[in-house]
Amino acid sequence: MGVKKRIPWAGIESYRGKVFTGEWPTFPELIEISVDRFGERPCFTDFEGPGESKNTITYNQMYQKVQQLAKWMVASGIKKGDRIAVTGKNSPEWAVTYLATFFAGGIVIPIDNGLHEAEAGNLIKTSSPKIIFSDDEKKGYFRNTFAEIPVYSLQPKETENYVYNLKFDGEVEMNEPVKEDDTAAILFTSGTTGIPKGVMLSHKNLISDCFIAQTNLDIYHTDVFYALLPIHHGYTMQAAFICPLSVGAEIVFGKSMAVTRLMKELREGKITIMLGVPLLYNKLMAGITKGIESKGPFVAGIINALGGISYFCKKAFHFNPGKKLFKAVLMQANIYTLRVAICGGGPLSSDVFKKYNEMGIDFIQGYGLTETAPIITLNPVEHFKIESVGRDFSPYEEMKIIDIEKYSTPGERPIGEIVVKGPMVMQGYYNMPEETAKMFTEDGFFKTGDLGWMDSEHYVMLCGRAKNLIVTGGGKNVYPEEIEDAFQMFSNIQQIVVQGYDTERGEEIEALIYPADSVFEALGMKRESAWNSKEVSELIKADVASVNKNLQPYARITRTTILENPLAQTTTMKVKRNYKK
């Protein structure tokens, strides 16, 4: 079955030659188009009103705030190409600052609010912004450390320096408008010690990816997006900020993953499209499953049977009765209004993927990198493949698999490195021409560093990072991420990293495991004194044995190390993989 072809940018074509003249609009041009089309519709929402009440501003109101701030920036001396840093929790103020930077002709530097002060300071030194906008928690540090750079607040406590109160009432000549090939943003990837690696993305990179990604997913001005993951990250920035702005949808900014706050925002925000990572969706489904199992085996059996019927209907007839069948369950979980759930940041367990679809929620996976703005594959709702991270966007991008002979085990899947070419591929790394050159093939394809394979319909199956590949003593290739994914539904395991270790027989497979709190609760023990106890070890090793049964002999875990302390994570809840040897 083929995937339907549509032109997501058809709605802006009438503005071509009037508002924009390039191949793609710039950010300011896109915002002007959306304001003209959807001015009175809700744009930005948060729950920062009295008693955590709901606050919403329309597209017209957002535009007024953006214009006011952009004028103030120019009056304060910002020139075209100057850099402006913004760091803080997700908020309308963060978004207004981001957009105003473009109207002032600047380049935005989104900085991870979760970084330690010294790490954030390193990014400021590297990017040399003319202005810093910050939440209150790091504002003092920036002022003390970078006295020459003015620091303004994204929070209203500091009235005079609060971003919404910055205005210039006189006349000012605005800077020359940005062009589509101008750098829009510099996004720093993980690795913030030493010389940080900043990904330069142009207006064309970000806006083209926004519209091209929509060839595999319909989104509407009536949708309500939930920006829960940190918005500085390319995944959230594109999928829960830029994409909804392009169609006039509403964006609800979430600031915390605390369960009570999350449930409130899902319920009162009436979210229709949610972005998440595997850990978040696993937790949500674990709560739903626990509620179903509490009804007893008979009821649980009926619900499971209905789920199977619902999933069959969706795959065979593209009709999913799950929303009606599971209304009560979805209402209790505050996700009844959810139309689409998108998972990124790593493959999700097939069981979880299937359960969301059974319940009437179009659950899909995507894949991309910061260097590709970031989305380069997405599963179409009407023709998804549960084992895939999505279909590519041909003919709007080119993707292929290279070095298959290097990364494949003879007689098994044709695995190689994924490379891509298209308008979403970065301009390069900031002030790193040699590093940039290394990332491209001789024929101009960007090397993702990820291993996978592609089927005849251009769906990508992801295996893991090339640099993490384990080659066993017998010459077999093992992809540690695939083994880690097999543990996603094991409630005893909170974190796992799979890596190789040296033996006399060559490299074998080790699992570093941080047990879940529930393990110690079930045993009636405290983690501090029991993390390396025999009882905990037996529970964890039983789970490892269960997974090992389904692995090829050469890929089985032969050493399990239980950890006393949790593994370091990024703000998108990926474990930082720097533990090997």
Side-chain angles (χ1 to χ4, degrees):
M1 177 181 173
V3 178
K4 66 178 181 179
K5 297 291 182 183
R6 51 185 294 275
I7 307 296
W9 48 93
I12 67 170
E13 282 300 321
S14 62
Y15 294 88
R16 188 181 294 276
K18 300 172 185 176
V19 176
F20 72 102
T21 56
E23 182 182 2
W24 300 96
T26 62
F27 265 100
E29 290 165 346
L30 179 67
I31 295 303
E32 288 174 353
I33 292 169
S34 289
V35 169
D36 186 63
R37 297 174 72 196
F38 311 105
E40 292 304 317
R41 288 200 56 79
C43 183
F44 296 152
T45 292
D46 67 6
F47 287 84
E48 295 300 312
E52 297 185 348
S53 60
K54 185 179 179 182
N55 281 328
T56 299
I57 61 174
T58 65
Y59 273 78
N60 283 333
Q61 291 169 327
M62 172 273 290
Y63 187 68
Q64 185 274 328
K65 292 179 183 297
V66 167
Q67 290 294 319
Q68 174 182 298
L69 183 58
K71 182 180 178 182
W72 174 88
M73 288 177 175
V74 175
S76 299
I78 293 299
K79 305 298 183 186
K80 185 175 180 181
D82 283 349
R83 293 170 292 283
I84 294 175
V86 55
T87 179
K89 293 180 180 177
N90 295 357
S91 68
E93 290 90 340
W94 192 103
V96 165
T97 303
Y98 182 97
L99 296 173
T101 300
F102 303 137
F103 279 89
I107 298 170
V108 70
I109 312 293
I111 294 178
D112 183 352
N113 188 56
L115 294 177
H116 296 300
E117 289 180 347
E119 294 176 316
N122 196 27
L123 300 189
I124 295 296
K125 289 175 186 175
T126 301
S127 58
S128 301
K130 292 295 179 68
I131 300 175
I132 300 172
F133 290 87
S134 173
D135 272 3
D136 290 343
E137 59 189 56
K138 283 193 176 69
K139 191 174 56 187
Y141 165 76
F142 289 133
R143 284 179 177 161
N144 292 333
T145 310
F146 303 99
E148 73 283 5
I149 305 175
V151 180
Y152 297 92
S153 179
L154 296 176
Q155 295 174 300
K157 292 178 184 177
E158 192 174 320
T159 307
E160 184 180 346
N161 291 309
Y162 174 47
V163 61
Y164 282 175
N165 293 337
L166 301 175
K167 61 178 66 175
F168 181 77
D169 294 326
E171 294 296 321
V172 62
E173 183 179 349
M174 298 299 286
N175 293 322
E176 177 190 350
V178 295
K179 296 180 173 61
E180 64 175 328
D181 289 322
D182 288 339
T183 301
I186 301 176
L187 275 58
F188 287 95
T189 60
S190 57
T192 53
T193 56
I195 301 175
K197 188 179 287 185
V199 177
M200 298 188 297
L201 297 173
S202 68
H203 290 264
K204 181 177 182 178
N205 290 151
L206 290 163
I207 302 302
S208 68
D209 196 54
C210 156
F211 283 110
I212 289 171
Q214 292 176 52
T215 60
N216 283 3
L217 175 67
D218 293 333
I219 60 175
Y220 310 101
H221 68 275
T222 51
D223 276 316
V224 181
F225 283 72
Y226 193 24
L228 177 63
L229 298 177
I231 201 170
H232 77 276
H233 192 274
Y235 169 41
T236 312
M237 187 184 299
Q238 181 61 268
F241 180 53
I242 302 172
C243 282
L245 286 175
S246 75
V247 299
E250 181 181 358
I251 302 166
V252 174
F253 294 97
K255 291 191 177 184
S256 169
M257 290 194 188
V259 174
T260 53
R261 180 77 182 233
L262 174 65
M263 291 296 104
K264 172 186 171 68
E265 291 173 348
L266 283 171
R267 180 178 64 254
E268 297 183 19
K270 295 181 170 55
I271 307 300
T272 66
I273 298 183
M274 179 176 177
L275 283 290
V277 292
L279 180 61
L280 175 63
Y281 289 120
N282 287 339
K283 284 186 173 181
L284 274 175
M285 185 51 65
I288 292 171
T289 303
K290 185 176 180 180
I292 291 172
E293 290 175 348
S294 70
K295 304 293 183 183
F298 179 73
V299 173
I302 293 176
I303 290 175
N304 287 334
L306 290 174
I309 294 170
S310 175
Y311 187 76
F312 173 78
C313 290
K314 180 168 185 179
K315 290 295 286 183
F317 307 113
H318 306 289
F319 162 69
N320 191 342
K323 267 288 179 74
K324 292 182 179 179
L325 292 174
F326 299 104
K327 181 176 181 178
V329 174
L330 297 173
M331 290 282 285
Q332 187 173 0
N334 295 310
I335 56 174
Y336 179 69
T337 60
L338 203 59
R339 183 173 71 84
V340 177
I342 304 173
C343 185
L348 184 72
S349 161
S350 296
D351 290 339
V352 176
F353 190 116
K354 186 176 180 182
K355 283 183 181 295
Y356 279 105
N357 277 288
E358 286 177 355
M359 292 184 173
I361 295 171
D362 287 328
F363 197 96
I364 57 176
Q365 295 191 81
Y367 161 64
L369 302 93
T370 304
E371 290 89 342
T372 57
I375 309 171
I376 49 176
T377 71
L378 193 63
N379 253 308
V381 166
E382 66 280 356
H383 185 37
F384 67 91
K385 295 189 179 184
I386 203 165
E387 70 279 11
S388 173
V389 291
R391 181 185 181 274
D392 74 3
F393 301 126
S394 56
Y396 308 109
E397 72 175 11
E398 295 179 71
M399 183 177 287
K400 62 182 181 179
I401 310 296
I402 65 171
D403 295 335
I404 292 174
E405 67 287 346
K406 178 179 179 181
Y407 294 110
S408 290
T409 297
E412 297 187 8
R413 299 166 297 176
I415 295 168
E417 183 176 3
I418 301 165
V419 298
V420 64
K421 181 189 291 186
M424 67 288 293
V425 175
M426 69 169 182
Q427 296 175 307
Y429 295 121
Y430 181 60
N431 287 342
M432 289 184 171
E434 293 181 2
E435 287 291 327
T436 299
K438 292 176 184 176
M439 298 304 295
F440 290 86
T441 63
E442 290 184 1
D443 54 352
F445 280 78
F446 172 74
K447 297 188 288 186
T448 67
D450 287 315
L451 301 178
W453 58 284
M454 188 185 299
D455 70 12
S456 60
E457 293 184 290
H458 289 235
Y459 284 77
V460 173
M461 273 51 71
L462 203 60
C463 299
R465 297 290 291 169
K467 64 183 180 181
N468 299 333
L469 179 70
I470 300 168
V471 181
T472 68
K476 298 287 189 178
N477 291 335
V478 176
Y479 311 96
E481 291 91 342
E482 289 189 330
I483 300 174
E484 292 162 5
D485 292 339
F487 285 91
Q488 284 190 26
M489 295 305 290
F490 284 78
S491 59
N492 290 333
I493 295 173
Q494 185 168 320
Q495 294 177 320
I496 180 170
V497 164
V498 171
Q499 60 184 20
Y501 72 98
D502 293 326
T503 72
E504 292 181 356
R505 300 180 298 277
E507 201 166 22
E508 295 192 16
I509 314 302
E510 175 185 26
L512 308 179
I513 293 175
Y514 182 68
D517 292 340
S518 57
V519 169
F520 302 95
E521 292 170 4
L523 293 172
M525 305 167 79
K526 291 188 175 181
R527 183 188 293 274
E528 297 78 30
S529 56
W531 67 272
N532 60 349
S533 67
K534 180 181 178 182
E535 293 86 347
V536 171
S537 178
E538 287 177 349
L539 279 175
I540 297 301
K541 288 183 177 179
D543 287 346
V544 170
S546 179
V547 169
N548 272 344
K549 289 178 183 178
N550 298 314
L551 297 174
Q552 293 289 343
Y554 61 82
R556 288 174 185 161
I557 297 165
T558 56
R559 186 168 80 183
T560 302
T561 301
I562 297 175
L563 304 175
E564 179 180 6
N565 299 306
L567 299 159
Q569 289 183 311
T570 67
T571 48
T572 53
M573 295 184 283
K574 279 186 180 179
V575 170
K576 294 181 180 179
R577 188 185 292 273
N578 55 358
Y579 302 94
K580 188 169 183 177
K581 298 183 182 66

